Amino acid sequence: MSDPSLFIPVILGTPRQGRQSEYVAKFIVEQVAADDRLETELIDIRNIAIATDDAGESLKDPQFSATIERADGLIIVTPEYNHGYPGLLKHVLDTCLKEYIHKAVGLCGVSAGPFGGTRVIQNLLPVMRELGLITIFYDLNFSNVQKLFDQSGNLIDKPTYIRRMESFMDELVWMSSVLKYGRREVSQKKKD
């Protein structure tokens, strides 16, 4: 039931300088773009002009909102900071609500330590549910990220990570296709 026209953007969830997760996000975008079933783009939260003097949808960035509305699924690449996710990622995600409903999301954790962002993924799961996103059951984890890429940002052991992405992407594409069909064809309204 694969839909050849799925749009699955990748959100890079940190604005920090010197961020290693940028290499991860670029690798993932490269892999998604190579899949003929998909269209993608990188959403770098560093480039979203968002105020901090209010909250929620009143701060909505029109371009981010339109991209999320168009998306059939999402991939979020986020580093683990002190067992959690970056505050700006949460702030940006909270600016949309209806745009996320019944869309699939795959989570990718990045860490300098040995756990590959597993704790950040665990912390994001309830947030994804509250936003109306449906998480897939495969995660991508990039442990000891500072050792995974060369000076130019190229993944050193690319074949291993390409294999890891296969199950992740197959599940994300399947779930995105099913949910896209459901959003189009299945009414949530109770029939009288």
Side-chain angles (χ1 to χ4, degrees):
M1 180 176 183
S2 175
D3 185 331
S5 61
L6 291 175
F7 175 53
I8 300 180
V10 177
I11 298 174
L12 174 53
T14 180
R16 284 192 182 177
Q17 298 299 318
R19 56 196 178 169
Q20 296 289 305
S21 51
E22 184 172 359
Y23 295 142
V24 174
K26 287 180 178 179
F27 165 73
I28 290 174
V29 167
E30 172 187 294
Q31 297 307 304
V32 176
D35 188 324
D36 61 2
R37 303 173 289 182
L38 307 174
E39 180 187 346
T40 192
E41 70 180 61
L42 178 63
I43 300 171
D44 186 340
I45 66 166
R46 179 188 284 173
N47 299 327
I48 298 174
I50 187 167
T52 57
D53 60 351
D54 206 341
E57 288 192 296
S58 65
L59 298 174
K60 189 177 293 197
D61 176 81
Q63 183 176 351
F64 178 71
S65 175
T67 302
I68 299 303
E69 180 70 35
R70 182 176 159 236
D72 298 303
L74 298 168
I75 298 172
I76 298 176
V77 177
T78 183
E80 180 178 310
Y81 294 156
N82 301 317
H83 294 216
Y85 44 81
L88 188 58
L89 173 62
K90 179 73 164 73
H91 192 52
V92 168
L93 290 174
D94 283 348
T95 64
C96 292
L97 292 173
K98 67 179 177 8
E99 294 90 342
Y100 300 122
I101 304 297
H102 299 138
K103 293 183 181 179
V105 63
L107 301 174
C108 175
V110 180
S111 72
F115 300 115
T118 56
R119 295 176 292 213
V120 71
I121 290 171
Q122 289 299 312
N123 284 324
L124 275 173
L125 290 174
V127 174
M128 299 299 100
R129 181 177 181 203
E130 186 62 25
L131 291 174
L133 290 160
I134 311 300
T135 55
I136 63 170
F137 57 88
Y138 287 103
D139 302 324
L140 287 177
N141 304 94
F142 288 79
S143 304
N144 301 305
V145 70
Q146 70 281 8
K147 298 176 184 175
L148 296 179
F149 295 87
D150 66 19
Q151 301 260 357
S152 300
N154 299 308
L155 191 57
I156 295 168
D157 185 8
K158 202 171 188 177
T160 296
Y161 286 90
I162 288 173
R163 280 193 308 276
R164 289 180 184 178
M165 278 199 69
E166 288 174 0
S167 295
F168 176 89
M169 288 308 303
D170 286 345
E171 177 65 14
L172 183 59
V173 167
W174 185 88
M175 186 71 76
S176 296
S177 297
V178 168
L179 291 169
K180 181 177 184 177
Y181 174 84
R183 287 190 311 274
R184 263 192 329 230
E185 304 295 331
V186 181
S187 173
Q188 283 192 286
K189 297 184 181 187
K190 185 178 176 182
K191 295 182 181 182
D192 292 329

